[in-house]
Each structure stands twice: as C-alpha cells, then as structure tokens.
C-alpha cells in the first residue's frame, strides 16, 4: 500500500517569507498527486494537483508544487506567504488506475505571523 | 451548487447511544469516503464506497458501519459510540475518473462522546 510522509509538522513564518513544505510518497507506479489546504474551522479544499506533463504545477493563491519522480517528492512552495495562508496543508497520493482512494499525509500546520 | 453536505455539524452524545452522521452529494459521484481527523494523526480513512452497494474498510473501520443504498447518500453509523471516537469527521466524494480530479469534502462533523 502507498504511504505519504510530510516531514514538517509545524512551520512558523513571518509574512513575506518563502515557504516550502515537503511531501514524499512510497509507491512504485504512476501516481496522481495533490495538495489540500484546510483553513481554521473549515473543510479541506484542493490547492493544486499533478497528473502528468509539466512537473511544475501552479495552483491557487500563488502556490506551486514540483513533482520530482526520482525522489518520489511533491513539495509545495510559495515565494512570499501572507497571514491568510495560516492553515493546515495535506499532501495526498492516488495511484493511477487504482481504486481512486487517496492516501493523505499527516498534515503540516503553517502559522504566518503578520 | 456542487457540494457534499454533512449533518450534523456538531454532535455531543453519550457512550453507547447509537448515532448516524449523514452525508449527501449532488454531483452524481461514484466514489465516497469517510475520514476522521485527529491532532497529529492527520486524516485517516474509515470506510469508502466505490459505488452503490459496494463498500470497503479503510484504515480505521473498527466501531463504524456504513451503507450505500443510493448513489448520493453515504451515512456513517456508530452503533455504540465510545469516547475514543471523539473526533472531527469528513465525508468526501469523487467521480469515477475523479481520482485525478481530487475529492470534494463536506464541512465536517465534530463529534464528542462523553
């Protein structure tokens, strides 16, 4: 079965700092990769996704992620964070052609100080 | 509006009193799933369903039941709730090919068992 690791459990940044959240997965085949965001008190929302093609994926609100197949990684980045980016971020993987049931990482809590 | 609707949003109950959390989606999705979210543990899958009358256990199914008699509904049943089932629960759905399009999540149900 596949698994997803998010290395940073808690990240605290000041506004305008750059952000990179790590995500690694274990699965030998082709995968679809996702980042979800959960703002305080809200449900999960899709931030961005990768299926195939350009490994650099751009999502909403200035976020982007890069798929590096050789490293089984899909790290999330943002050049300059804002206070409103304070949220929990989840990486998820779905093996292509499988059950379409995602496996989620444990999440990274991001706090951005104004 | 395309959405996943969960009810109730908040529920406090006593140990052993059967309860049902409802989940309904209006997107004609085949795939539906229940997750629980606990601090430090991220999202853990309880049960999932790949279509009507097709359900399967996720990672933490003990103490839960589900049914999928209609495509739009996927209720979560706790026959005899215990305090360790105090958690935040999310229902999610996806189209059959939507493994690549991500999941749509409900707003969550915060359950407290005393």
């Amino acid at each position: 079965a596949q698994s997803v690791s998010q290395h940073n459990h808690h990240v605290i940044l000041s506004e305008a700092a750059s952000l990179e959240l790590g995500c690694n997965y274990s699965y030998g085949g082709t995968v679809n990769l996702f980042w979800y965001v959960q703002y305080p008190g809200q449900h999960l929302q899709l931030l961005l996704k990768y299926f195939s093609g350009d490994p650099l994926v751009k999502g909403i609100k200035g976020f982007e992620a890069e798929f590096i197949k050789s490293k089984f990684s899909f790290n999330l980045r943002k050049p300059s964070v804002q206070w409103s980016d304070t949220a929990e971020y989840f990486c998820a993987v779905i093996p292509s052609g499988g059950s379409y049931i995602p496996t989620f990482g444990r999440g990274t809590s991001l706090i951005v100080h104004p | 509006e395309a959405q996943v609707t969960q009810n109730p949003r908040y529920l406090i109950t006593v140990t052993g009193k059967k309860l049902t959390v409802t989940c309904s989606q209006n997107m004609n999705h085949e795939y539906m799933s229940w997750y629980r979210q606990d601090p430090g543990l991220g999202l853990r899958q309880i049960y999932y369903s790949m279509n009507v009358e097709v359900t399967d256990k996720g990672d933490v199914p003990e103490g839960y039941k589900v049914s999928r008699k209609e495509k739009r509904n996927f209720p979560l049943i706790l026959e005899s709730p215990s305090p360790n089932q105090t958690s935040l629960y999310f229902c999610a759905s996806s189209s059959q090919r939507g493994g690549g399009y991500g999941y749509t999540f409900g707003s969550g149900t915060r359950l407290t068992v005393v």
Side-chain angles (χ1 to χ4, degrees):
Chain A
Q2 66 271 16
S3 65
V4 179
S5 297
Q6 291 183 240
H7 316 296
N8 317 102
H9 298 297
H10 300 280
V11 175
I12 301 174
L13 296 172
S14 297
E15 274 193 320
S18 64
L19 170 72
E20 181 159 3
L21 301 182
C23 173
N24 285 88
Y25 66 93
S26 65
Y27 183 75
T30 305
V31 294
N32 297 323
L33 297 156
F34 306 83
W35 276 98
Y36 285 86
V37 60
Q38 184 181 28
Y39 297 106
Q42 297 188 27
H43 60 283
L44 276 77
Q45 303 170 48
L46 185 64
L47 199 54
L48 50 77
K49 56 187 182 281
Y50 171 81
F51 303 159
S52 63
D54 188 346
L56 185 61
V57 179
K58 295 194 183 298
I60 60 172
K61 303 186 180 184
F63 286 91
E64 64 179 31
E66 184 175 14
F67 170 50
I68 303 179
K69 189 175 181 179
S70 61
K71 295 184 178 180
F72 297 90
S73 70
F74 190 55
N75 292 354
L76 181 70
R77 300 194 292 248
K78 186 170 184 178
S80 176
V81 294
Q82 301 172 310
W83 175 79
S84 58
D85 293 324
T86 294
E88 190 140 12
Y89 293 82
F90 293 91
C91 182
V93 61
I94 300 178
S96 297
S99 64
Y100 298 119
I101 305 299
T103 297
F104 286 88
R106 290 193 172 188
T108 297
S109 174
L110 171 66
I111 296 175
V112 180
H113 289 300
Chain B
E1 180 188 354
Q3 60 185 1
V4 176
T5 303
Q6 286 179 238
N7 280 297
R9 289 292 305 277
Y10 301 92
L11 179 59
I12 301 174
T13 190
V14 297
T15 299
K17 185 176 181 181
K18 181 180 178 180
L19 66 91
T20 299
V21 183
T22 63
C23 173
S24 181
Q25 50 92 4
N26 61 0
M27 296 165 282
N28 202 36
H29 284 171
E30 276 81 9
Y31 290 78
M32 298 186 75
S33 186
W34 276 103
Y35 294 87
R36 61 177 289 174
Q37 184 179 16
D38 301 289
L41 298 177
L43 283 159
R44 294 181 292 169
Q45 191 177 65
I46 303 170
Y47 269 93
Y48 64 93
S49 170
M50 297 171 72
N51 214 324
V52 174
E53 301 291 1
V54 181
T55 63
D56 210 343
K57 296 177 181 179
D59 300 319
V60 289
E62 293 78 18
Y64 305 94
K65 285 176 56 177
V66 293
S67 68
R68 188 89 183 273
K69 293 183 171 56
E70 307 165 281
K71 200 172 188 179
R72 63 182 293 125
N73 295 324
F74 191 44
L76 179 69
I77 303 157
L78 285 72
E79 295 270 2
S80 182
S82 62
N84 64 12
Q85 292 178 296
T86 292
S87 186
L88 178 59
Y89 291 86
F90 287 102
C91 180
S93 73
S94 178
S95 61
Q96 188 165 8
R97 286 170 40 188
Y101 296 103
Y103 270 70
T104 300
F105 283 83
S107 298
T109 296
R110 186 167 292 281
L111 171 66
T112 302
V113 183
V114 298

